[in-house]
Amino acid sequence: MMEDIVRKIEEANEEAVRRILAGDPLWEDIRPAREVVPGMAENTILHAGPPIRWERMAGPMRGAIMAALMFEGRAQSPDEAVRLASGGEIRFSPCHEHRTVGAMAGVISPSMPVFVVRNASFGNLAYCGWRDLAQASGCFDELTIKNMRWLRDVGMPTLAAAVRKRGRLELKPLWARALTMGDELHNRVSAGTSLFARAMAPHLVRAVPDTSAVAEVLEYLADFDLAIVPLTMAGCKSVMDAAHGVEASTVVTAIARNGVEVGIRVSGLGDQWFVGPAQPVKGTYHPGFTEADGCPDLGDSAIIETAGFGGCAIAAAPTHVTVADEPGSASAYTREMYEITLAKNSSYPIPTLGFQGIPTGIDVRKVVETGILPIVDTPVAHKEPGRVRGVIGFGMSRPPMECFVKALTAFGDQYLP
Amino acid sequence: MRKHERAAPHPGKEPLRVVNVGLEWFHRSLLSQGAKTVHVAWRPPAGGDPKIANLLDRLSGRTTKE
């Protein structure tokens, strides 16, 4: 009997990993969330991480929601936004439960445009909101709202016209190339964003007659190193969603943080969240800030690590090790991740590790057995909303072991006789 | 007799060569004193929780192989 379940798990994990390795994300479009995100009603606001009520939300998430309500014209002031958010009229829901991911606070309201990515191998779609660092980290001042409106009215429609003109953008070769150029694809993305700009520039010019809009978008791509991150997040979400729902698989298909709790989802355990307390981020803080100022672990961007990039592939980003806890630790982090994963994805070789593929398919059993937790490299928001425009540092974080022990226990309850 | 003495190094006479298992602090402490050490990052499975370790055994097939 016991051998049966072990065989079943091994076969299920092989299938889940096969799906991850076969993932082929294509960026196809940008559309307003209300038009494409499943379950997005006019009173819906999506957020990062596992479910959480307004009363328990972290500062940056509250600030980002206040910005969203003012941006949507539903509130005229921060105070009015707080009254509306706390009044019960708004339905808050995790991005992940809508085939969507959101950076940092991950707040997405109905009129915000989202990147639309199709996993060509399996046909499933995934979405990610834009990345405005100020709003995503909880700013809600006039400049933030103005920048959000520029993204909605100029930036995103211009990019949308370009990608429609191009037909689609294949993310797989772009990611692979960026990895060989010193990116890990989460926070060291200079190569990826440059390749993205290069791929889109001619189509921007051909698709959009308004040259000032084209110039503004090219400036945005030139000035904002992290511009490609939401596209990568949507791509990784499309890959991991295809691996979700494999009966008896112990592969982790999502790691998501809301600033209070971290939640994981497991392929063979349906849509349950397994949560534990979000941890402070160890890292490099901007002058004048320390770990004590930082909001604990925040954002859906850990979907990038779940797919094997980011912290898991940080050996590929030797220039990014300054945010790690000691020099030379980047390779050690990635080597450690091979201990808790089931495969190496040869589509994405890491030059500094002899071109081994990125660690792929985090196995809940291996995490609990070894005590090695997935490593995430992540930006940090100030814990008080609106206090700082943008992030206050970057660092390394790990989801709590509690998530994995809870998942393993639930797995035993569901699958063992 | 001489061969036997060499096989059992005497602290203080021969440099220590240490394989440290588990707590990394011992490894670092020896390193700081100039000793040659190799650290093995070992932790008890499931953090030493017997209930979870048993569950892991059942889900990994280790018990069935015994």
Side-chain angles (χ1 to χ4, degrees), chain A residues 9-10 12-18 20 240 243-246 248-254 264-270 306 340-343 360-365 404 407 411:
Chain A
I9 293 170
E10 300 302 333
N13 284 348
E14 257 181 51
E15 173 60 15
V17 166
R18 183 192 72 78
I20 299 171
M240 297 314 295
H244 191 73
V246 178
S249 169
T250 54
V251 168
V252 175
T253 49
I264 67 165
R265 294 172 114 181
V266 176
S267 180
L269 291 173
T306 320
I340 57 168
T341 46
L342 293 160
T360 302
I362 297 166
D363 184 346
V364 168
R365 296 174 306 168
F404 298 89
F411 194 92

Side-chain angles (χ1 to χ4, degrees), chain A residues 2 6 365 368-369 371 408 416, chain B residues 43 45-46 55-56 59 61-62:
Chain A
M2 215 139 59
V6 174
R365 296 174 306 168
V368 176
E369 178 169 1
L408 192 80
L416 285 174
Chain B
R43 277 172 272 202
L55 179 58
L56 264 179
L59 295 174
R62 279 191 298 261

Side-chain angles (χ1 to χ4, degrees), chain A residues 86-102:
Chain A
S86 58
E89 189 186 326
I90 304 296
R91 187 176 71 100
F92 298 110
S93 187
C95 291
H96 265 288
E97 296 183 2
H98 300 259
R99 295 188 201 159
T100 300
V101 276

Side-chain angles (χ1 to χ4, degrees), chain A residues 2-3 5-6 9-10 326 336 365-366 368-372 405 408-409 411-412 416-417, chain B residues 28 41-47 49 51-52 55-65:
Chain A
M2 215 139 59
E3 283 176 349
I5 183 62
V6 174
I9 293 170
E10 300 302 333
E326 59 187 57
E336 203 182 26
R365 296 174 306 168
K366 286 175 178 261
V368 176
E369 178 169 1
T370 61
I372 297 170
V405 170
L408 192 80
T409 305
F411 194 92
L416 285 174
Chain B
R28 288 178 187 272
W42 181 86
R43 277 172 272 202
D49 182 330
K51 193 176 153 201
I52 301 300
L55 179 58
L56 264 179
D57 281 348
R58 297 178 72 193
L59 295 174
S60 315
R62 279 191 298 261
T63 308
T64 54
K65 286 175 188 167

Side-chain angles (χ1 to χ4, degrees), chain A residues 395-416:
Chain A
M396 310 301 283
S397 69
R398 296 184 193 258
M401 181 56 79
E402 196 176 327
C403 304
F404 298 89
V405 170
K406 283 179 179 171
L408 192 80
T409 305
F411 194 92
D413 291 344
Q414 184 167 329
Y415 288 102
L416 285 174

Side-chain angles (χ1 to χ4, degrees), chain A residues 38-357:
Chain A
M40 186 87 187
E42 287 305 308
N43 66 337
T44 303
I45 287 191
L46 304 183
H47 62 77
I52 188 164
R53 296 189 314 275
W54 167 262
E55 296 75 30
R56 291 189 65 226
M57 282 179 187
M61 189 171 283
R62 284 176 173 232
I65 288 169
M66 290 155 67
L69 291 171
M70 290 190 283
F71 160 80
E72 294 284 357
R74 299 193 63 161
Q76 301 307 316
S77 68
D79 287 344
E80 200 182 331
V82 169
R83 278 198 298 277
L84 183 59
S86 58
E89 189 186 326
I90 304 296
R91 187 176 71 100
F92 298 110
S93 187
C95 291
H96 265 288
E97 296 183 2
H98 300 259
R99 295 188 201 159
T100 300
V101 276
M104 298 194 73
V107 167
I108 300 173
S109 57
S111 74
M112 288 184 188
V114 292
F115 289 91
V116 181
V117 173
R118 180 185 304 276
N119 183 345
S121 300
F122 301 95
N124 60 300
L125 293 165
Y127 312 92
C128 183
W130 66 46
R131 188 162 168 113
D132 176 78
L133 266 189
Q135 184 237 343
S137 56
C139 275
F140 49 84
D141 61 358
E142 266 181 42
L143 180 57
T144 301
I145 309 294
K146 187 180 160 199
N147 287 340
M148 291 166 72
R149 290 189 175 132
W150 177 83
L151 278 165
R152 180 189 63 192
D153 300 333
V154 180
M156 298 290 266
T158 302
L159 272 174
V163 75
R164 286 174 201 148
K165 187 81 175 173
R166 195 179 200 278
R168 63 188 186 190
L169 178 68
E170 294 167 334
L171 296 180
K172 204 166 183 170
L174 192 153
W175 289 346
R177 185 123 193 245
L179 269 187
T180 67
M181 295 166 73
D183 279 3
E184 42 66 78
L185 292 171
H186 189 168
N187 286 295
R188 205 294 186 171
V189 289
S190 310
T193 294
S194 301
L195 293 170
F196 174 47
R198 201 166 83 176
M200 297 312 297
H203 305 283
L204 280 165
V205 173
R206 287 192 190 108
V208 183
D210 180 354
T211 53
S212 69
V214 171
E216 284 175 25
V217 167
L218 288 172
E219 274 170 358
Y220 171 77
L221 295 177
D223 293 345
F224 188 33
D225 224 23
L226 299 172
I228 195 177
V229 173
L231 196 46
T232 297
M233 287 172 62
C236 290
K237 173 70 172 161
S238 77
V239 170
M240 297 314 295
D241 272 3
H244 191 73
V246 178
E247 169 89 3
S249 169
T250 54
V251 168
V252 175
T253 49
I255 301 172
R257 302 87 42 94
N258 64 27
V260 176
E261 288 173 326
V262 180
I264 67 165
R265 294 172 114 181
V266 176
S267 180
L269 291 173
D271 291 336
Q272 298 175 76
W273 288 98
F274 303 99
V275 302
Q279 304 298 308
V281 179
K282 307 277 177 202
T284 306
Y285 285 79
H286 296 168
F289 298 103
T290 68
E291 194 179 302
D293 300 309
C295 176
D297 221 0
L298 177 69
D300 286 337
S301 57
I303 192 68
I304 295 172
E305 275 77 7
T306 320
F309 299 104
C312 291
I314 199 167
T319 59
H320 201 61
V321 293
T322 49
V323 303
D325 52 5
E326 59 187 57
S329 56
S331 293
Y333 279 131
T334 297
R335 286 201 175 93
E336 203 182 26
M337 294 303 101
Y338 288 128
E339 300 289 320
I340 57 168
T341 46
L342 293 160
K344 294 175 183 177
N345 191 338
S346 60
S347 295
Y348 307 112
I350 301 175
T352 55
L353 292 182
F355 293 93
Q356 294 179 82

